[in-house]
Amino acid sequence: MLASASAAAGVAALLPGRLKPKPRADLLKRLATAAALWLRHVRDRRPFQYVVGNEHWRDLVVAVREGVLIPRPETEAVVDMVGKVEGFEAGCWADLGTGSGAIAVAVARMLGSEGRVFATDVSEVAIEVARLNVQRYGMQDKVEIRHGSWFEPLEDLKGKLMGVISNPPYIPTEDLPGLQPEVGWHEPKLALDGGKDGLEHLLHLCEGLSSVLKPGGFFVFETNGNKQSEFLVDFIRTKWDSSFRDVEAVLDFADIKHPCHLEEETNILNNAFLC
């Protein structure tokens, strides 16, 4: 009986400590901090994703912070198109201008044991956040983050890539002042400004495709809408008619033509390389 009573006393002594509520002052401090963050969000039109440090995108919780573009729902269509490419699971892919790394991680999670994603970005902040998201989902063996502008960090992968993915800056410079404050005041201009007509980076990407894609390779990028997409489709068909086939603009979730995708003809490059 003494042993049982002693044990009961011991349990009774532990419970109050475990159930002890946080001091009122601590709770009030936490509430004040939350209120200050919400006030900053409302007053400064700061994106809520930057306030909490995350964005729910696809089936991911993506870490974001100022200096990195917040991933949009329409960009999910890019990942969906990759999943429709025959044999994509075993291929090597490049995500150019990876930003938060959301696309790279989403694609990597669909790949097989041989598949890889090489994600590039010129922004050091983006590189840091992308690495964080790669680690968050344990994709270190699938995704390699490389610092540099567009194709520059991919010299060793020329002619070896199954596909190239990109959501580049495509907003015309003159349109930037008209963006809603949550975007124009806070999201990085580097990830938004597409130059005079919004096509500066998109055209650069088109120019570099043949050097990195292997025969039969696939390319998909996001654009600023119907007019821009249709221009690019016509441009590619006119300038590289003998190099690419199946060039088309694809509607996003809002029935706006955003991404274009194309395949490189298999008889253009002399050598095919496997990763």
Side-chain angles (χ1 to χ4, degrees), residues 204-219:
H204 177 73
L205 291 174
C206 291
E207 293 282 355
L209 284 175
S210 293
S211 67
V212 295
L213 286 175
K214 67 180 183 179
F218 177 90
F219 174 51

Side-chain angles (χ1 to χ4, degrees), residues 205-235:
L205 291 174
C206 291
E207 293 282 355
L209 284 175
S210 293
S211 67
V212 295
L213 286 175
K214 67 180 183 179
F218 177 90
F219 174 51
V220 56
F221 54 82
E222 189 172 320
T223 72
N224 196 27
N226 299 5
K227 185 176 179 180
Q228 204 175 73
S229 288
E230 289 165 1
F231 171 84
L232 286 169
V233 169
D234 290 340
F235 178 78

